[in-house]
């Protein structure tokens, strides 16, 4: 259906659109948690703690997937899980669901943590990888700026809609990557 694209443009797409989609979520998520879910300061602290604890606990197990099976698979799983976590949080503004969403999001984040960079380094080699990272950071910054504007526009309609849109876009990015992301130089 889709042909695999070269690694460099795929990495730029991941960096730019990933930052855009995350910015849509991050710009309004705290406001959503306070205004729509009615969380108090302790509950907000608990939300952050659950996310960080999940990342701490799952960093090594998910890293094994990237290092043993496939960096590509790890990135795709992580991207979809991040999106699922964002959509779960936006769908139900209650503490339990928001905490569960942090676990899903945190596991997804650990799947992508380091796997994206390791994947592009495998695909591109060491020569010129610094320029690749620099260009991807530029795409990410541009995407984040656009995401802030998009987030405000979407949130002006409905706060939870921004979270749902961001999550759906992350899931779509994961599906897109499943079709076009190459992995030719991976060794266990």
């Amino acid at each position: 259906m889709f042909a695999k694209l070269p690694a460099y443009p795929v990495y730029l797409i991941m960096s730019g659109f990933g930052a855009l989609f995350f910015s849509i979520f991050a710009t309004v998520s705290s406001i959503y948690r306070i205004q729509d879910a009615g969380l108090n300061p302790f509950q907000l602290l608990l939300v952050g703690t659950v996310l960080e604890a999940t990342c701490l606990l799952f960093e090594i197990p998910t890293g094994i997937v990237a290092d043993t099976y496939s960096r590509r698979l790890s990135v795709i799983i992580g991207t979809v899980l991040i999106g699922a976590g964002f959509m779960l949080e936006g769908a139900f503004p209650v503490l339990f669901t928001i905490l569960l969403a942090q676990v899903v999001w945190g596991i997804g984040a650990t799947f992508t943590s380091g796997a994206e960079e390791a994947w592009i380094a495998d695909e591109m080699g060491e020569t010129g990888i610094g320029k690749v990272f620099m260009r991807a950071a530029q795409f990410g910054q541009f995407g984040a700026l656009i995401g802030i504007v998009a987030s405000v526009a979407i949130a002006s309609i409905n706060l939870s809609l921004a979270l749902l849109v961001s999550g759906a876009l992350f899931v779509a990015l994961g599906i897109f990557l499943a079709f076009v992301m190459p992995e030719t130089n991976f060794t266990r």
Side-chain angles (χ1 to χ4, degrees):
M1 182 175 188
F2 291 101
K4 300 288 186 201
L5 296 176
Y8 182 56
V10 170
Y11 187 63
L12 295 179
I13 289 168
M14 281 190 320
S15 299
F17 284 103
L20 187 151
F21 303 156
F22 183 77
S23 188
I24 292 172
F25 171 84
T27 302
V28 299
S29 62
S30 294
I31 300 166
Y32 166 81
R33 291 172 188 153
I34 294 166
Q35 186 172 315
D36 287 8
L39 301 186
N40 64 42
F42 174 75
Q43 292 169 328
L44 291 169
L45 182 64
L46 184 61
V47 167
T49 302
V50 167
L51 176 62
E52 294 303 323
T54 300
C55 291
L56 179 67
L57 292 172
F58 286 91
E59 189 70 36
I60 291 174
T62 57
I64 292 171
V65 172
D67 293 338
T68 305
Y69 298 104
S70 168
R71 300 189 200 295
R72 176 183 176 274
L73 178 63
S74 189
V75 169
I76 293 166
I77 290 170
T79 303
V80 170
L81 285 176
I82 289 168
F86 290 178
M87 288 191 307
L88 180 61
E89 182 169 346
F92 304 102
V94 295
L95 179 62
F96 175 76
T97 308
I98 292 172
L99 292 175
L100 182 60
Q102 302 313 296
V103 172
V104 174
W105 170 21
I107 293 170
T110 61
F111 268 107
T112 61
S113 173
E116 293 173 350
E117 293 81 6
W119 168 77
I120 193 64
D122 285 348
E123 295 301 305
M124 300 292 296
E126 291 181 23
T127 306
I129 194 67
K131 290 181 182 179
V132 171
F133 287 141
M134 179 65 77
R135 180 64 65 187
Q138 292 169 338
F139 272 63
Q141 291 295 319
F142 184 70
L145 288 173
I146 293 172
I148 291 168
V149 174
S151 181
V152 171
I154 296 167
S156 68
I157 299 167
N158 186 308
L159 282 173
S160 65
L161 184 60
L163 279 64
L164 295 169
V165 167
S166 172
L169 290 171
F170 261 109
V171 170
L173 178 61
I175 293 168
F176 172 77
L177 292 174
F179 287 104
V180 302
M181 187 178 186
E183 185 167 50
T184 56
N185 295 323
F186 174 73
T187 53
R188 290 182 170 194

